[in-house]
């Protein structure tokens, strides 16, 4: 802030001191003592009021869960307070000590300056926390400019001419706020609790820094450091009244229950827009039209609203709106960027003279809404058709933002909630899932109503939000029922498949390398395998019924062994009644008809007579036994499907069960593992239209991921490694779960924070 007010242009400086000198050490020690004592007192004052603020919020909490957040926060703050205060005061003391070593001071400034670290943190940390910090710094730097300028100049002198400014002065708002943020990192409380603490830090620490600066200046003047210095404000800085942009201090220290800082958010955005405008040379052409010297009265809010209403009516009178994404997306993008110029032209038509510019706050609002809708047209989380429809809302939302500046500051603002809800519904839309066009028509209806009916009645947003929520509730109930049926059906199929594999394994393990007669193998592979499956599903693997069914397999296989002597034939005869009883029970269990049971048992009787060496009954053909064996499968109805194939091996079954294995070191594996039910994905498979689907269920048996569309109907199910392959090939991507406004604000703040104000916006969050 002192680039135009260098000491040599204000007053003759005392000879610069050597940073390593004993005198410098004494002066810095004095400053460090003053700062430590004052900051310890003010930080203590802030923390003393945390309990009261959180208790007030807990009493007003809308539900028990929110109340517990505040009570938990109170306990956490009490526990962590000593460490936070110690770390904060220690960091400031180190920064002051480093001033005697310019290299260390430079490194510290590089790591904590607002111009670099804080703006990077906007993208890396929580947006609300970053905005709170940025707002506190910018507000207090402007308010404290006069006293802080003097402190900077005197510290520069005692540090051997090393430039001290707002960004690297350890007692300036920037480093104090950053140090407090670092100290607060060990606090694991909810973000709402942290925001309350920041507000109290602003009120009881930063807002009383004048006293600290006066003490430091008095001490340094007494020591003979620039005693004649006049408190100049650097050229380009503006003295802001003490209350400008500050949160109302007359109310509760905690603010509203949401923990947001409405005034600070708008103040921060205003500061970022001002910085961007300030980086451009005066008098050059500006986006939206020529910008020469300001002339004529600035347009009032009513003039802006009137001009916007005219532009809105021109859109409506042009005829029914079309929403052809291919034709409209590019044109809408141009309209979004040109709205400011159109607005100035329209105001000129209404007043007979086109203004060259608008008030700074109004220009910020126009630009902010424009950037919001630019983001919507670039947001890959929205289908192209929905981007086009939502982009039509730029004029209604600009009117709403002019009428009510809280739109961008409050998450619960009806207009903000309506746009977020529309975007959330739009995210799940696809042609396939909306064949009846219900969702498309509902979104179109809301857009049309805002364009046709919205003038200055902000209540329309609440009414349309209620209407949309009712539509959502009806469709949610339908989709949840369908989704539940799909999940139950999938779960049932998996249980059936698991039971079939278990049955096949049990039979194949018992057969081993033995070659069974086709008749016996057919009974086991089809009829008895199905009986095993049903027994597993109904009674479970630990049931007596399942164990009895397994014993039958052993006995049935044993009955095929050659009976070449009297003992073996006697044993076989003793086994046959039990085999027949078990077969009758098992065949009835798998819905064999009586005639089919008798036919199959007849074939088995013929087979066993041959095993026992008995002659065929009177009238039977000589080759009856062979014929019975060759045609044995005819006695099993086609409805009884084989569970295993005669050629199948146990290894085949095991391989099938291992399909879900994925290399644990694959990046895509971690992406798959991070998915949670409720996440939305977009699939773009070759030769198919893009499909949007929600992860509905992850099978605890197979690990497969079940996806449904917005109607609750199944889209696909994938094994983890199949899904990982889709991620790797770019055929699947996860859609953002956070609200549209939050994504847009993150992108906008990131764009405005760049050194080059003309840089392109960051890629929308996915």
């Amino acid at each position: 802030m002192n680039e135009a007010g260098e000491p040599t242009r204000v007053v003759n400086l005392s000879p610069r001191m050597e940073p390593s000198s004993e005198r410098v050490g004494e002066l810095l020690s004095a400053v460090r003592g003053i700062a430590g004592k004052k900051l310890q007192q003010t930080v203590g004052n802030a923390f003393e009021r945390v309990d009261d603020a959180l208790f007030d919020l807990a009493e007003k909490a809308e539900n028990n869960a929110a109340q517990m957040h505040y009570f938990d926060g109170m306990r956490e703050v009490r526990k962590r307070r000593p460490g936070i205060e110690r770390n904060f005061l220690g960091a400031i003391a180190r920064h002051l000590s480093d001033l005697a070593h310019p290299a260390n001071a430079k490194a510290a400034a590089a790591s904590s300056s607002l111009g670099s670290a804080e703006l990077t943190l906007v993208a890396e940390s929580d947006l609300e926390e970053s905005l709170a910090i940025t707002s506190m710094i910018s507000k207090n730097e402007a308010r404290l400019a006069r006293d802080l300028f003097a402190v900077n100049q005197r510290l520069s002198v005692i540090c051997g001419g090393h430039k001290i400014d707002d960004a690297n002065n350890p007692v300036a708002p920037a480093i104090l706020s950053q140090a407090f943020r670092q100290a607060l990192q060990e606090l694991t409380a909810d973000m709402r609790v942290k925001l309350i603490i920041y507000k109290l830090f602003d009120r009881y620490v930063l807002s009383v820094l004048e006293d600290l600066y006066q003490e430091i200046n008095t001490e340094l003047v007494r020591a003979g450091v620039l005693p004649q210095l006049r408190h100049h404000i650097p050229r380009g800085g503006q003295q802001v009244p003490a209350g400008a942009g500050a949160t109302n201090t007359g109310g509760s220290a905690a603010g509203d229950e949401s923990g947001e800082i409405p005034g600070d958010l708008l103040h921060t955005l205003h500061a970022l827009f001002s910085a961007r405008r300030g980086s451009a040379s005066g008098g050059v052409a500006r986006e939206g039209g020529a910008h020469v010297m300001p002339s004529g009265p600035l347009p009032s809010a009513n003039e802006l609203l009137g001009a916007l209403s005219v532009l809105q009516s021109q859109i409506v009178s042009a005829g029914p709106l079309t929403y052809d994404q291919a034709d409209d997306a590019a044109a809408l993008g141009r309209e979004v960027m040109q709205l400011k110029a159109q607005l100035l032209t329209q105001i000129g038509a209404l007043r007979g003279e086109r203004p060259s510019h608008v008030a700074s706050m109004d220009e910020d609002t126009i630009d902010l809404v424009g950037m919001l809708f630019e983001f919507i047209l670039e947001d890959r989380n929205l289908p192209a058709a929905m981007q086009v429809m939502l982009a039509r809302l730029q004029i209604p939302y600009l009117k709403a933002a002019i009428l009510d500046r809280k739109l961008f500051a409050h998450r619960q603002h009806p207009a903000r909630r309506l746009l977020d809800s529309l975007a959330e519904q739009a995210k799940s839309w696809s042609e396939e899932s909306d064949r009846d066009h219900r969702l498309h028509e509902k979104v179109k209806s809301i857009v049309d109503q805002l364009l046709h009916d919205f003038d200055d009645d902000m209540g329309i947003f609440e009414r349309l939000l209620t209407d949309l929520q009712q539509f959502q509730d009806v469709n949610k109930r339908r989709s949840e029922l369908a989704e539940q049926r799909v999940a139950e059906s999938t779960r049932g199929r998996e249980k059936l498949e698991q039971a079939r594999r278990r049955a096949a394994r049990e039979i194949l393990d018992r057969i081993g390398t033995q070659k069974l007669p086709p008749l016996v193998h057919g009974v086991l592979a089809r009829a008895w395998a199905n009986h095993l499956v049903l027994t597993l599903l109904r009674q479970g693997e630990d049931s007596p019924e399942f164990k009895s069914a397994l014993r039958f397999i052993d006995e049935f296989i044993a009955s095929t062994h050659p009976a070449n002597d009297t003992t073996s034939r006697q044993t076989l005869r003793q086994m046959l009644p039990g085999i027949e009883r078990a077969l009758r029970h098992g065949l009835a269990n798998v819905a064999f008809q009586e005639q089919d049971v008798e036919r199959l048992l007849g074939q088995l009787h013929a087979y066993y007579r041959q095993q026992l060496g008995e002659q065929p009954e009177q009238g039977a053909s000589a080759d009856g036994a062979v014929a019975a064996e060759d045609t044995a499968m005819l006695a099993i109805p086609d409805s009884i499907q084989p569970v295993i194939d005669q050629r199948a091996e146990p290894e085949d079954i095991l391989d099938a069960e291992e399909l879900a294995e994925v290399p644990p070191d694959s990046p895509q594996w971690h992406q798959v593992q991070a998915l949670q039910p409720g996440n939305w994905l977009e699939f773009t498979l070759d030769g198919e239209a893009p499909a949007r689907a929600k992860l509905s269920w992850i099978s605890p048996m197979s690990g497969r991921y079940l996806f449904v569309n917005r109607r609750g109907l199944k889209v696909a199910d994938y094994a983890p490694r199949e899904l990982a392959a889709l991620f790797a090939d770019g055929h699947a991507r996860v859609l953002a779960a956070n609200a549209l406004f939050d994504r847009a604000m993150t992108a906008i703040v990131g764009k405005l924070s760049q050194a080059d104000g003309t840089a392109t916006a960051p890629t929308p969050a996915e």
Side-chain angles (χ1 to χ4, degrees):
M1 292 182 60
N2 61 340
E3 54 199 30
E6 295 178 1
T8 53
R9 300 180 61 181
V10 177
V11 67
N12 291 329
L13 296 178
S14 302
R16 290 177 178 175
M17 301 182 182
E18 181 63 34
S20 60
S21 69
E22 183 178 342
R23 178 62 171 157
V24 169
E26 292 175 358
L27 292 175
L28 285 179
S29 180
V31 172
R32 188 167 60 248
I34 294 170
K37 181 179 178 181
K38 190 69 175 179
L39 291 174
Q40 184 176 22
Q41 176 187 349
T42 55
V43 170
N45 289 341
F47 274 110
E48 288 296 331
R49 287 159 177 80
V50 171
D51 262 16
D52 291 340
L54 294 178
F55 188 81
D56 289 343
L57 283 178
E59 284 191 325
K60 300 174 185 176
E62 65 275 11
N63 53 52
N64 290 337
Q67 190 176 64
M68 287 306 300
H69 275 304
Y70 295 122
F71 284 138
D72 290 343
M74 290 168 62
R75 287 190 290 270
E76 177 74 5
V77 170
R78 289 172 188 168
K79 178 181 177 182
R80 302 291 183 184
R81 174 183 171 180
I84 294 172
E85 292 186 6
R86 184 170 56 252
N87 292 339
F88 169 67
L89 295 172
I92 299 304
R94 286 193 301 275
H95 286 315
L96 285 167
S97 298
D98 286 342
L99 291 181
H101 309 283
N104 293 347
K106 185 176 182 180
S111 65
S112 60
S113 69
L114 173 64
S116 57
E118 175 60 23
L119 298 181
T120 301
L121 285 168
V122 168
E124 295 175 352
S125 186
D126 187 274
L127 176 62
E128 289 173 293
E129 185 177 15
S130 296
L131 288 175
I133 294 291
T134 307
S135 178
M136 288 193 303
I137 294 171
S138 59
K139 176 180 65 178
N140 285 286
E141 281 182 343
R143 183 177 61 82
L144 298 165
R146 184 177 300 276
D147 291 328
L148 185 55
F149 172 78
V151 174
N152 290 340
Q153 299 307 306
R154 291 188 169 104
L155 287 178
S156 296
V157 169
I158 67 175
C159 291
H162 173 65
K163 183 179 179 181
I164 305 296
D165 56 22
D166 295 358
N168 63 6
N169 185 341
V171 293
I175 290 186
L176 289 175
S177 298
Q178 295 296 338
F180 190 70
R181 180 178 191 166
Q182 290 296 320
L184 212 60
Q185 282 186 349
E186 66 179 75
L187 189 69
T188 58
D190 185 85
M191 179 54 65
R192 288 174 290 184
V193 174
K194 283 191 174 183
L195 290 176
I196 297 305
I197 297 174
Y198 282 130
K199 294 178 79 171
L200 293 171
F201 179 79
D202 184 16
R203 180 173 302 171
Y204 292 100
V205 180
L206 300 185
S207 293
V208 295
L209 285 177
E210 295 99 330
D211 295 341
L212 172 61
Y213 296 162
Q214 288 172 10
E215 284 189 45
I216 292 175
N217 280 318
T218 299
E219 177 64 24
L220 294 179
V221 167
R222 185 182 299 117
V225 181
L226 296 182
Q228 306 298 322
L229 177 66
R230 295 194 305 273
H231 295 183
H232 280 260
I233 303 298
R235 186 169 64 245
Q238 296 181 355
Q239 185 71 22
V240 180
T247 307
N248 179 17
T249 58
S252 165
D256 58 28
E257 294 183 30
S258 67
E260 296 186 50
I261 313 178
D264 287 355
L265 175 58
L266 293 181
H267 179 90
T268 299
L269 290 168
H270 176 66
L272 291 171
F273 275 117
S274 297
R276 186 175 71 158
R277 284 195 299 271
S279 65
S281 302
V284 298
R286 184 191 293 180
E287 179 186 2
H291 180 72
V292 196
M293 293 299 293
S295 61
L298 297 175
S300 65
N302 285 335
E303 282 186 286
L304 291 172
L305 291 171
L308 286 169
S309 294
V310 172
L311 295 176
Q312 185 175 335
S313 64
Q314 290 174 354
I315 294 174
V316 172
S317 62
L321 292 175
T322 60
Y323 299 100
D324 181 73
Q325 64 215 51
D327 295 337
D328 291 357
L332 273 172
R334 291 189 294 272
E335 290 178 18
V336 165
M337 292 185 287
Q338 294 170 359
L339 181 59
K340 190 195 306 186
Q342 294 174 354
L343 185 57
L344 291 174
T345 300
Q346 188 58 52
I347 292 173
L350 293 174
R351 64 159 56 168
E353 175 189 12
R354 172 175 172 170
S356 59
H357 68 298
V358 297
S360 295
M361 183 61 74
D362 291 329
E363 185 173 14
D364 292 347
T365 303
I366 295 168
D367 289 343
L368 184 55
V369 174
M371 295 177 78
L372 168 64
F373 282 89
E374 285 180 37
F375 176 87
I376 288 174
L377 284 171
E378 296 170 354
D379 186 14
R380 293 182 61 204
N381 290 280
L382 297 174
M386 290 295 171
Q387 286 178 327
V388 169
M389 277 202 285
L390 296 184
R392 297 281 189 184
L393 293 175
Q394 184 184 11
I395 290 178
Y397 268 80
L398 179 52
K399 291 173 69 176
I402 293 173
L403 286 166
D404 187 355
R405 307 283 182 183
K406 295 178 182 178
L407 189 155
F408 283 95
H410 287 288
R411 275 204 175 97
Q412 298 305 312
H413 193 286
R416 177 168 176 167
R417 290 172 60 204
L418 177 62
L419 190 58
D420 280 341
S421 296
L422 286 169
E424 185 62 25
Q425 288 293 296
K427 180 174 73 175
S428 65
W429 180 87
S430 66
E431 290 278 3
E432 179 64 24
S433 67
D434 194 34
R435 290 183 177 181
D436 55 6
H437 304 294
R438 286 185 181 180
L439 176 57
H440 188 279
E441 289 303 313
K442 172 54 68 176
V443 175
K444 181 177 181 297
S445 169
I446 291 174
V447 172
D448 286 344
Q449 287 183 70
L450 281 172
L451 284 171
H452 285 79
D453 302 337
F454 177 50
D455 186 19
D456 57 4
D457 176 17
M458 294 293 290
I460 190 173
F461 292 99
E462 188 73 62
R463 293 191 295 273
L464 290 175
L465 177 61
T466 301
D467 179 44
L468 180 60
Q469 288 173 335
Q470 291 172 347
F471 173 84
Q472 290 173 343
D473 290 341
V474 171
N475 284 277
K476 184 178 180 181
R477 286 193 293 270
R478 290 175 181 164
S479 64
E480 283 178 346
L481 288 174
E483 190 174 338
Q484 184 178 356
R485 286 194 293 269
V486 169
E488 289 174 351
S489 174
T490 304
R491 187 181 295 110
R493 283 197 302 273
E494 288 208 340
K495 286 183 177 180
L496 174 60
E497 182 61 26
Q498 190 178 51
R500 288 169 65 87
R501 290 177 176 175
R502 174 68 184 278
R505 185 187 300 111
E506 294 289 354
I507 293 172
L508 290 171
D509 285 348
R510 283 165 170 76
I511 293 175
T513 59
Q514 302 176 70
K515 182 171 178 61
L516 298 181
L519 173 61
V520 175
H521 190 282
V523 170
L524 289 176
R526 296 180 66 181
W528 201 254
N530 278 278
H531 171 61
L532 272 182
V533 169
L534 291 177
T535 304
L536 270 172
L537 293 174
R538 292 171 180 172
Q539 278 80 36
E541 62 180 353
D542 295 325
S543 64
E545 291 84 356
F546 183 66
K547 293 176 181 177
S548 175
L550 294 180
R551 283 196 300 273
F552 169 82
I553 301 173
D554 294 329
E555 294 175 359
F556 198 37
I557 293 173
S559 72
T560 65
H561 298 162
N564 298 325
D565 53 48
T566 302
T567 302
S568 59
R569 284 194 290 270
Q570 182 64 29
T571 301
L572 178 57
R573 287 192 180 95
Q574 291 174 352
M575 294 170 59
L576 292 180
I579 290 175
E580 182 172 342
R581 283 194 303 272
L583 263 177
R584 286 186 181 276
H585 172 72
L587 296 177
N589 190 36
V590 293
F592 259 65
Q593 298 297 321
E594 184 63 30
Q595 61 270 25
D596 294 325
V597 173
E598 294 302 330
R599 184 179 176 194
L600 180 58
L601 289 176
Q603 292 176 326
L604 282 171
H605 288 159
Y607 168 74
Y608 284 123
R609 283 195 298 272
Q610 186 183 35
Q611 283 287 89
L612 293 169
E614 297 177 358
Q615 295 297 320
E617 294 182 6
Q618 187 71 24
S621 63
D623 58 347
V626 178
E629 184 173 327
D630 290 343
T631 61
M633 299 306 292
L634 297 177
I636 301 178
D638 291 338
S639 60
I640 308 300
Q641 295 295 317
V643 173
I644 58 176
D645 187 90
Q646 187 170 0
R647 295 165 297 179
E649 297 294 337
E651 290 76 10
D652 297 333
I653 305 299
L654 294 175
D655 288 344
E657 290 182 322
E658 293 171 358
L659 286 176
E661 293 296 326
V662 178
D665 57 345
S666 166
Q668 289 75 29
W669 166 263
H670 297 296
Q671 190 174 10
V672 170
Q673 294 301 303
L675 291 176
Q676 298 291 331
N679 291 152
W680 280 88
L681 279 73
E682 183 181 56
F683 296 98
T684 51
L685 304 180
D686 294 337
E688 298 182 17
R692 288 172 177 246
K694 181 180 73 173
L695 176 57
S696 173
W697 178 66
I698 303 174
S699 170
M701 292 182 288
S702 67
R704 295 184 73 85
Y705 288 64
L706 173 66
F707 293 92
V708 299
N709 62 21
R710 58 174 297 274
R711 296 169 61 193
L713 303 180
K714 179 179 176 180
V715 172
D717 70 289
Y718 296 105
R721 73 177 184 185
E722 294 171 334
L723 194 52
L726 291 176
F727 281 133
D729 294 339
H731 294 314
R733 64 183 182 91
V734 181
L735 302 178
N738 55 332
L740 171 69
F741 248 93
D742 288 341
R743 298 198 307 274
M745 294 301 290
T746 301
I748 290 170
V749 171
K751 179 177 181 178
L752 292 174
S753 300
Q754 295 177 21
D756 182 0
T758 62
T760 57
T763 302
E766 295 183 14

